[in-house]
């Protein structure tokens, strides 16, 4: 009887060890399969490196409470019909924002850019760039000037840009504010701003809150946003501005590709590169 029990005990022990080994083997297979899935997903998921910008190293995040500025409340000094004062404020946001960068940085740009000193050799030249945020602000300023032009108080049903310029609105706008506020330029600005908004895709939640004044819940756009420190970027930029040549000629250009070659741009920008340019401050 004892021998029978010993035999049964040994059998149970062997079965247990076998089950342990089988469980371990399954665990290894699961881990291996999971690793393969992760590797496969990694290959299929695009994680491009951050595109190079001379200002990458100085960018800082900050929290900013947006102003709503609707229904006659919370207006900022940038709003309202164009005046000498608010035009000056708008221009101060983007004036003197074209900078010169050395050849070592220009080579890393996703797109080629021209030299500010085309009479010098490629290595000695400074290369011209304008950060897109300043172009967007310029566009917004020109759009507000164009919109408000048609609402100026001297116009009425018979005395307006259409009658004064025989229907040539472009001529009317040029006469009022120069070529930067014509409809063609405005259309360009609207398209650039559309692409910029979609590119950055701000996912800050616009909330809905009850208003005692209206007796219903309404959307509140004056909420907290995570932003880049614009003042720091603007200060950094103004320390590096350059004069743009009046006459553009064929000079040295540096960068990964031309703007008319998007496939090469994307391909080149996805290649891993070692970038060590210091803090940039």
């Amino acid at each position: 009887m004892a021998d029978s029990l010993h035999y049964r005990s040994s059998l149970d022990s062997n079965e247990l060890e076998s089950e342990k080994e089988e469980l371990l083997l399954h665990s290894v297979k699961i881990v291996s399969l999971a690793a393969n899935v992760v590797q496969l997903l990694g290959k299929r998921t695009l994680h491009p490196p951050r595109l190079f910008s001379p200002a990458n190293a100085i960018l800082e995040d900050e929290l900013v409470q947006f102003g709503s500025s609707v229904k006659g409340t919370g207006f900022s000094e940038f709003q309202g019909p164009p005046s000498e004062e608010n035009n000056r404020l708008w221009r101060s946001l983007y004036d003197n924002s074209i900078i010169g960068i050395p050849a070592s940085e220009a080579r890393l740009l996703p797109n080629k850019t021209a030299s500010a000193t085309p009479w010098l050799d490629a290595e000695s030249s400074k290369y011209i760039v304008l950060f897109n945020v300043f172009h967007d602000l310029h566009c917004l300023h020109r759009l507000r000037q164009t919109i408000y032009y048609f609402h100026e108080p001297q116009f009425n049903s018979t005395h307006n840009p259409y009658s004064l310029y025989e229907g040539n609105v472009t001529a009317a706008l040029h006469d009022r504010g120069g070529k930067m506020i014509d409809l063609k330029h405005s259309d360009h600005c609207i398209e650039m701003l559309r692409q910029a908004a979609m590119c950055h895709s701000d996912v800050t939640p616009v909330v809905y809150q009850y208003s005692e004044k209206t007796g219903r819940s309404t959307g509140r756009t004056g909420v907290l946003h995570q932003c880049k420190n614009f003042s720091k970027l603007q200060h950094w930029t103004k320390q590096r501005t350059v004069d743009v040549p009046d006459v553009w000629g064929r000079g040295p250009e540096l960068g990964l590709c031309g703007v008319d070659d998007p496939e090469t741009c994307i391909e080149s920008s996805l290649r891993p590169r070692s970038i060590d340019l210091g803090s940039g401050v």
Side-chain angles (χ1 to χ4, degrees):
M1 183 70 173
D3 288 343
S4 175
L5 287 173
H6 176 72
Y7 173 76
R8 182 63 189 166
S9 175
S10 298
L11 187 60
D12 290 344
S13 177
N14 289 338
E15 286 179 350
L16 186 60
E17 287 300 321
S18 178
E19 287 177 1
K20 285 182 179 179
E21 287 178 5
E22 190 173 348
L23 182 60
L24 180 61
L25 183 60
H26 280 304
S27 300
V28 170
K29 285 181 179 179
I30 290 170
V31 171
S32 178
L33 179 61
N36 288 335
V37 168
V38 169
Q39 187 177 15
L40 183 61
L41 288 175
K43 287 179 180 178
R44 295 181 61 184
T45 306
L46 184 64
H47 293 293
R50 188 180 191 184
L51 290 180
F52 173 75
S53 168
N56 276 349
I58 61 98
L59 289 178
E60 287 182 353
D61 285 346
E62 64 175 355
L63 298 180
V64 178
Q65 181 78 30
F66 276 24
S68 180
S69 307
V70 293
K71 298 181 180 177
T73 61
F75 267 42
S76 80
E77 56 192 352
F78 293 94
Q79 291 182 267
S83 65
E84 186 176 338
E85 177 59 20
N86 63 27
N87 281 341
R88 182 190 64 77
L89 288 171
W90 271 97
R91 287 193 298 270
S92 72
L93 295 176
Y94 61 83
D95 271 354
N96 302 315
S97 53
I98 296 178
I99 68 171
I101 61 174
S104 59
E105 293 184 1
R107 280 197 191 87
L108 301 172
L109 294 174
N111 297 100
K112 291 180 181 178
T113 195
S115 169
T117 50
W119 53 88
L120 297 177
D121 65 86
E123 290 305 309
S124 304
S125 286
K126 290 280 188 181
Y127 293 83
I128 303 169
V129 294
L130 169 72
F131 297 135
N132 199 74
V133 59
F134 299 116
H135 176 264
D136 287 349
L137 288 167
H138 148 81
C139 268
L140 283 169
H141 179 39
R142 296 307 183 189
L143 283 171
R144 67 180 283 273
Q145 288 181 312
T146 302
I147 292 167
Y148 272 108
Y149 172 70
F150 293 97
H151 294 273
E152 289 185 355
Q154 75 267 24
F155 295 140
N156 55 43
S157 59
T158 58
H159 181 82
N160 56 60
Y162 297 94
S163 62
L164 293 174
Y165 291 85
E166 298 179 349
N168 190 343
V169 178
T170 297
L173 289 167
H174 285 183
D175 188 47
R176 182 66 176 83
K179 292 186 177 181
M180 285 297 185
I181 66 166
D182 68 15
L183 295 181
K184 190 173 183 180
H185 189 258
S186 297
D187 195 46
H188 150 77
C189 281
I190 291 168
E191 177 61 8
M192 293 303 296
L193 292 169
R194 176 192 69 80
Q195 292 179 86
M198 293 173 68
C199 174
H200 297 296
S201 290
D202 186 354
V203 293
T204 301
V206 171
V207 298
Y208 288 76
Q209 295 176 353
Y210 182 78
S211 167
E212 294 286 352
K213 187 176 180 180
T214 62
R216 62 190 181 91
S217 294
T218 56
R220 302 297 180 97
T221 55
V223 296
L224 198 64
H225 288 248
Q226 184 167 332
C227 305
K228 299 301 178 189
N229 187 326
F230 178 78
S231 296
K232 182 175 182 179
L233 173 64
Q234 188 180 40
H235 177 73
W236 185 90
T237 299
K238 287 188 182 299
Q239 292 178 319
R240 290 159 175 79
T241 56
V242 293
D243 293 326
V244 179
D246 291 331
V247 180
W248 291 89
R250 180 172 288 279
E253 293 183 352
L254 286 181
L256 297 178
C257 64
V259 292
D260 55 350
D261 186 14
E263 290 302 319
T264 304
C265 286
I266 293 172
E267 236 178 75
S268 302
S269 298
L270 287 174
R271 290 185 198 132
R273 296 184 304 279
S274 176
I275 300 174
D276 183 11
L277 297 171
S279 66
V281 179

